[in-house]
Amino acid sequence: MKSLILGSVLVMSLLGLIIILFRKRIGLSFFTSFGIHLVLAAVGIYVVNYSGWITGTYIPLNPATIGTVSILGLPGVGLLLGLKISLFG
């Protein structure tokens, strides 16, 4: 019974989201732009981790770090590196 209720809430919220997206004319361009930002953020963190520019630092790939880099861009990578070096030596 609990899974039926949760499933119906999920379906209703998904339908509501789709209606809002297409009524506001956001469409698929938003998802394309968002996907490109996520991929570039992951690539930026990957390059820093495995290029050897700064030895001994590793930025984990998790939603918080990818979100930070996708919002801030390359300065977000610098921010994460600065936090990593200053907080954890």
Side-chain angles (χ1 to χ4, degrees):
M1 183 68 178
K2 184 178 178 180
S3 63
L4 179 66
I5 293 172
L6 289 176
S8 64
V9 168
L10 178 67
V11 168
M12 293 302 291
S13 63
L14 181 65
L15 288 174
L17 179 64
I18 290 171
I19 289 170
I20 289 172
L21 284 176
F22 287 111
R23 184 176 290 176
K24 296 283 186 181
R25 303 266 189 234
I26 295 174
L28 296 177
S29 65
F30 170 75
F31 291 117
T32 308
S33 173
F34 185 69
I36 290 171
H37 282 223
L38 285 178
V39 168
L40 289 177
V43 167
I45 292 173
Y46 181 79
V47 165
V48 168
N49 284 340
Y50 296 108
S51 67
W53 288 341
I54 301 175
T55 59
T57 58
Y58 176 75
I59 301 172
L61 287 173
N62 58 33
T65 58
I66 291 178
T68 301
V69 176
S70 66
I71 291 173
L72 297 177
L74 288 178
V77 175
L79 171 78
L80 291 174
L81 280 173
L83 285 172
K84 180 77 171 191
I85 291 170
S86 65
L87 292 178
F88 302 109

